[in-house]
Amino acid sequence: MALKGEYTIEVWNKKIRYALKIRRNITVITGDSGTGKTTLVKMIDAYDNNGVSSGVHLKCNVRCTTLHGRNWRDTLGKISKSIVFIDEQSHFITTKEFAVAIQSTDNYYVLITRNNLEVLPYSIHEIYGLRAYSNKETQNGMFQTFNEQYELYSANITQSGIQPLVR
């Protein structure tokens, strides 16, 4: 049975914390350099490979993992009922082969990219950016940056086109 519904993901270490809600099988996170997109994927990869000994903590009801490298096809065949994060350095996410491959899986995918993904069927309402919303001092005197996702396009799609979400 495939994943269904909404999943909340919290990922953190001593310096940074992310809070995400994933609602559909394909979610796109995009935005400018330096917003923490690649850091998020690296933290999930570190946790998936080494658990809490990596210095990263992850809270979610399902496994969160990453997909990268030239052996992505073989690796994808071994992933089931997971939320799979893929960074933009994995150029295969723009290919028809990747689009076909993920349609027969039971995973959710979070694609970190600034590229056009015209071969993938995803909702305009599942395109997000990342932003820091707080920088708080922790108990040990360190500062931790809190990051959240935000929807790039509003639910108001008019005859004139897509209206950016105003905050």
Side-chain angles (χ1 to χ4, degrees):
M1 179 186 287
L3 295 181
K4 292 205 186 266
E6 179 178 288
Y7 294 89
T8 300
I9 304 168
E10 293 179 59
V11 183
W12 69 95
N13 64 17
K14 292 184 296 188
K15 296 180 182 178
I16 194 163
R17 180 179 289 262
Y18 293 92
L20 306 169
K21 286 194 186 291
I22 307 301
R23 296 177 182 95
R24 311 252 329 234
N25 65 330
I26 299 175
T27 299
V28 176
I29 298 178
T30 190
D32 296 332
S33 294
T35 57
K37 300 179 305 293
T38 297
T39 300
L40 170 64
V41 175
K42 286 180 179 179
M43 288 173 67
I44 290 169
D45 191 51
Y47 181 84
D48 192 42
N49 288 318
N50 299 307
V52 293
S53 67
S54 67
V56 175
H57 302 271
L58 190 142
K59 182 179 172 185
C60 185
N61 291 339
V62 298
R63 178 182 177 211
C64 294
T65 190
T66 59
L67 182 65
H68 49 82
R70 65 179 173 220
N71 296 324
W72 68 268
R73 291 167 208 84
D74 296 331
T75 304
L76 182 61
K78 299 172 187 170
I79 301 171
S80 180
K81 296 180 183 152
S82 300
I83 300 174
V84 181
F85 287 76
I86 306 170
D87 197 22
E88 62 191 340
Q89 285 91 19
S90 298
H91 300 289
F92 59 82
I93 65 174
T94 61
T95 67
K96 181 81 170 166
E97 181 183 8
F98 174 72
V100 169
I102 68 170
Q103 288 179 15
S104 62
T105 69
D106 57 3
N107 303 307
Y108 274 18
Y109 295 89
V110 179
L111 308 175
I112 311 292
T113 185
R114 289 174 275 184
N115 293 323
N116 185 346
L117 299 174
E118 59 192 35
V119 296
L120 290 170
Y122 59 93
S123 168
I124 193 165
H125 301 295
E126 297 307 316
I127 304 174
Y128 298 96
L130 291 177
R131 67 172 163 227
Y133 69 90
S134 176
N135 194 5
K136 295 183 181 179
E137 189 172 1
T138 62
Q139 290 178 346
N140 62 5
M142 304 270 300
F143 280 86
Q144 187 177 49
T145 302
F146 290 77
N147 293 280
E148 68 179 351
Q149 74 191 65
Y150 65 94
E151 190 176 344
L152 287 181
Y153 302 102
S154 74
N156 300 326
I157 299 177
T158 66
Q159 291 178 343
S160 62
I162 300 165
Q163 301 299 313
L165 185 64
V166 179
R167 293 202 183 243

